[in-house]
């Protein structure tokens, strides 16, 4: 039976890993503002420690520290995706998992080194939840 490291290496060998660069830049920086995430009237997350990830020409994504998320409102799903720049993403639904809450949250538990700062953070789809950025 192969070791865990061997299995991980085997799985990684099947996936293309890309490094951010001039053709596909990715930056991660601290958002100085307060970020509040809600579904309906229910607050799911509230933080002053969000990281803003800007990838190429896509809109910036707010990554919220897990410690500032009400994890009792989330339920892990079987859905997974892969990004060659960030790694494997796992998903959560917001409870109760109505249509808007299904797979509304994602996280990179073992992000690639280029975006290692987003480890222990989650992000939310803005079309499934309300993300409010409150400036001081």
């Amino acid at each position: 039976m192969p070791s865990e490291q061997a299995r991980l290496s085997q799985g990684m060998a099947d996936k293309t890993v890309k490094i951010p660069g001039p053709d596909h830049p990715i930056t991660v920086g601290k958002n100085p503002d307060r970020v509040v995430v809600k579904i309906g009237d229910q607050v799911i997350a509230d933080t002053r420690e969000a990281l803003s990830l800007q990838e190429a020409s896509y809109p910036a994504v707010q990554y919220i520290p897990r410690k500032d998320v009400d994890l009792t409102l989330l339920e892990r799903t079987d859905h997974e995706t892969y990004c060659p720049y960030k790694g494997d993403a796992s998903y959560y639904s917001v409870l109760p998992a109505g249509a808007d809450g299904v797979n509304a949250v994602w996280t990179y538990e073992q992000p690639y080194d280029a975006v290692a700062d987003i480890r222990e953070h989650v992000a939310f789809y803005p079309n499934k939840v309300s993300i409010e950025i409150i400036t001081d």
Side-chain angles (χ1 to χ4, degrees), residues 61-63 66 79 81 86 89-92 103-108 118 121-126:
V61 175
Q62 303 305 307
Y63 280 82
R66 286 177 182 256
H79 186 65
T81 59
K86 297 185 288 289
S90 301
Y91 287 75
Y92 291 83
N103 293 322
V105 185
W106 75 91
T107 185
Y108 291 93
I118 64 172
H121 289 67
V122 301
F124 297 84
Y125 281 108

Side-chain angles (χ1 to χ4, degrees), residues 15 18 26 30 46 53 64 97 106-107 114 121:
K15 295 179 180 175
K18 296 183 178 182
I26 298 178
K30 184 174 181 334
D46 188 343
L53 183 144
I64 312 295
W106 75 91
T107 185
H121 289 67

Side-chain angles (χ1 to χ4, degrees), residues 29-35 46-52 62-68 117 121:
K30 184 174 181 334
N31 183 335
D33 300 319
R34 180 179 173 201
V35 179
D46 188 343
T47 189
R48 291 186 176 274
E49 297 178 31
L51 296 177
S52 186
Q62 303 305 307
Y63 280 82
I64 312 295
R66 286 177 182 256
K67 68 180 186 65
D68 294 330
D117 290 344
H121 289 67

Side-chain angles (χ1 to χ4, degrees), residues 15-91:
K15 295 179 180 175
T16 301
V17 177
K18 296 183 178 182
I19 306 298
D23 61 326
H24 193 95
I26 298 178
T27 58
V28 179
K30 184 174 181 334
N31 183 335
D33 300 319
R34 180 179 173 201
V35 179
V36 178
V37 179
K38 295 180 182 179
I39 194 162
D41 291 333
Q42 178 69 55
V43 174
I44 306 164
D46 188 343
T47 189
R48 291 186 176 274
E49 297 178 31
L51 296 177
S52 186
L53 183 144
Q54 180 66 56
E55 180 173 1
S57 61
Y58 300 114
V61 175
Q62 303 305 307
Y63 280 82
I64 312 295
R66 286 177 182 256
K67 68 180 186 65
D68 294 330
V69 178
D70 185 348
L71 298 174
T72 66
L73 298 175
L74 304 184
E75 181 177 73
R76 192 176 186 116
T77 70
D78 292 335
H79 186 65
E80 295 178 343
T81 59
Y82 176 73
C83 172
Y85 294 97
K86 297 185 288 289
D88 291 305
S90 301
Y91 287 75

Side-chain angles (χ1 to χ4, degrees), residues 86-88 108-120:
K86 297 185 288 289
D88 291 305
Y108 291 93
E109 293 170 341
Q110 298 296 322
Y112 291 151
D113 290 345
V115 294
D117 290 344
I118 64 172
R119 179 179 280 115
E120 295 298 321

